[in-house]
Amino acid sequence: MDALRSALQPITHNLPGPIRDLGVSLIGESCYRTLVLDVDLQHTECLKLGVSKGLGIGIVAASAVVKVPQILKLVRSQSASGVSFLSYLLETSALLITLGYNVRNGFPFSTYGESALILAQNVVISVLVLNYSDRAGMAAVLVAALAGAAGALFTEGTLDANMLSYLQAGAGVLGVASKLPQILAIWQQGGTGQLSAFAVFNYLAGSLSRIFTTLQEVDDKLILYGFIAGFLLNAVLALQMVYYWNAPSEKAKGKRKEAPVQARLAAPRAISTSTKSPSTRRRG
C-alpha cells in the first residue's frame, strides 16, 4: 500500500483544478483528501461513498446508449415481435413523472440523469413498436399526450408540490409494474422476439447498482424497496432471455409449419403425373 501511495500521490496532488473541483463536489472535501490526496483506501465510509458516486455516474453514462441496441434491432427487423408496448408505456410514464419531480425540486442531474436519457429512448421505441404494429396513428397521439403531460408536470401553476409528491409515489409502482407485461408477453410467445439482450442485462446491472447507491446515499425505504422490486423483475427478464436464447422466432415457426403442408400438397401432383405417363405411350 505504501508503494502504491508513493506512486500515486505525485499524480493526485497535481490534478487540474476542474477535476479537483468535480471530485470535491462529488465526495466532499474530507473524503477527497482521504481518498485522492492521502490515497487511504482503508477508510471504509469514504471508500463506500466513492464507489457509490462512481456507480451513479456510470449509470447515467450507460443510460445514454442502453436502449440504442433495442432501437436498432427494431429498425433492422421492421418488426415489434416480443416487445410489449404496454411495458414501455408504463415505464415512460414513470420516468416522465420522476423527471418532472426531480427538476421541480432542483436536485442534481447526477441523481436523476438516467431518467431523462432513457425517457427519450423509450419514446422512440414506443413509436417504432406502434408503427410496426400497424398503429401509426396511435404513435402521433402518444407523442402529443406525453408533450401535454410534460407541460403539466414542469409547470408549477398546473400541479402543486403536494400533487407532484403523490404522483412520484405512484411512479415507483408504475416502474415496477412496467416489467410485468413484458414478462407475460415473452411467456405467451415462448420467445424474446426482438427484445434486446443488451438492454435487459444492462437494466439488471443498473438496478443492482441503484440498490447499493440508495443504501449509501438515500435514507428512504420506499425508494429502496422500489429498486429491490425492480431488480427482482429485471432478474426474471434476464432469466427469460437466457432460457429462450435459442428459441426460434414466430416467423421461423410459421415457415416450419408451412413446409409440411406444401410437401403434402405437392405429393398428389407427383402421383398423378406418374399415373398419367403410361397413357402417353403408343401401344403396338
Side-chain angles (χ1 to χ4, degrees), residues 106-161:
F107 296 146
F109 185 77
S110 60
T111 62
Y112 67 89
E114 71 269 19
S115 298
L117 298 172
I118 295 175
L119 172 63
Q121 295 168 78
N122 271 9
V123 172
V124 175
I125 292 172
S126 298
V127 170
L128 289 174
V129 170
L130 288 173
N131 186 53
Y132 296 142
S133 302
D134 297 325
R135 293 180 288 176
M138 286 186 62
V141 174
L142 173 66
V143 174
L146 290 175
L153 288 168
F154 287 90
T155 305
E156 295 184 8
T158 306
L159 290 174
D160 59 19

Side-chain angles (χ1 to χ4, degrees), residues 74-218:
L74 287 169
V75 172
R76 288 169 181 168
S77 66
Q78 301 285 298
S79 169
S81 170
V83 181
S84 170
F85 170 73
L86 179 58
S87 178
Y88 274 96
L89 178 62
L90 292 174
E91 185 183 41
T92 301
S93 301
L95 289 171
L96 183 59
I97 294 171
T98 299
L99 181 61
Y101 180 82
N102 281 274
V103 171
R104 289 270 297 272
N105 283 279
F107 296 146
F109 185 77
S110 60
T111 62
Y112 67 89
E114 71 269 19
S115 298
L117 298 172
I118 295 175
L119 172 63
Q121 295 168 78
N122 271 9
V123 172
V124 175
I125 292 172
S126 298
V127 170
L128 289 174
V129 170
L130 288 173
N131 186 53
Y132 296 142
S133 302
D134 297 325
R135 293 180 288 176
M138 286 186 62
V141 174
L142 173 66
V143 174
L146 290 175
L153 288 168
F154 287 90
T155 305
E156 295 184 8
T158 306
L159 290 174
D160 59 19
N162 289 333
M163 181 59 69
L164 193 60
S165 298
Y166 290 135
L167 289 175
Q168 175 59 28
V173 178
L174 283 177
V176 173
S178 68
K179 305 300 178 184
L180 297 177
Q182 184 64 73
I183 293 172
L184 182 61
I186 294 174
W187 178 74
Q188 289 177 335
Q189 296 184 18
T192 55
Q194 302 306 317
L195 189 64
S196 169
F198 178 84
V200 170
F201 288 111
N202 271 273
Y203 253 60
L204 180 65
S207 58
L208 180 60
S209 300
R210 275 304 180 202
I211 292 175
F212 177 79
T213 58
T214 302
L215 286 171
Q216 296 301 315
E217 300 183 56
V218 180

